Amino acid sequence: GTQLTLEDTPPRIVDPPQDLVVAQGTKARLRCRVEGHPPPEVTWLKDGEVLGSPQPHLTFLPGGTLLFLPFLPPHQGVYLCRATNPLGVATSQQVTLALAGE
């Protein structure tokens, strides 16, 4: 098992994702910066389903950001990020990623 120390802290979302409207074919980023010790693992959910990796046109950047390159209509939906470490779980508010002009 993992030994917990006094420095250990539960996960916390310090820069939550925001609603985003994006033009088709452009780059889109959903940020989710987290803190905690041990460093939390970030998971993204789209429409209530965990986003596995790899995904076409989707990159999980170090630190928790989700990068769409390019942004396509199937990427539209409701997203949230979840940070997990042995001390707990932090979940962001739900945000909407929408296609401009829809």
Side-chain angles (χ1 to χ4, degrees):
T2 305
Q3 290 292 318
L4 297 179
T5 67
L6 290 174
E7 294 83 48
D8 289 337
T9 55
R12 188 167 82 89
I13 296 171
V14 293
D15 190 3
Q18 306 289 326
D19 289 338
L20 208 52
V21 177
V22 186
Q24 181 171 331
T26 62
K27 180 164 55 173
R29 269 175 214 253
L30 279 179
R31 286 207 323 256
C32 182
R33 201 161 61 78
V34 301
E35 288 179 349
H37 194 273
E41 182 181 328
V42 174
T43 317
W44 281 91
L45 285 80
K46 176 185 183 240
D47 299 327
E49 300 287 320
V50 173
L51 274 179
S53 110
Q55 292 268 335
H57 311 294
L58 188 55
T59 305
F60 296 86
L61 298 177
T65 295
L66 202 51
L67 176 66
F68 300 86
L69 195 60
F71 180 74
L72 301 170
H75 294 141
Q76 294 186 98
V78 176
Y79 289 80
L80 61 82
C81 77
R82 182 182 290 154
T84 311
N85 76 7
L87 281 89
V89 178
T91 304
S92 74
Q93 80 275 15
Q94 293 188 340
V95 297
T96 303
L97 191 54
L99 193 58
E102 286 288 302

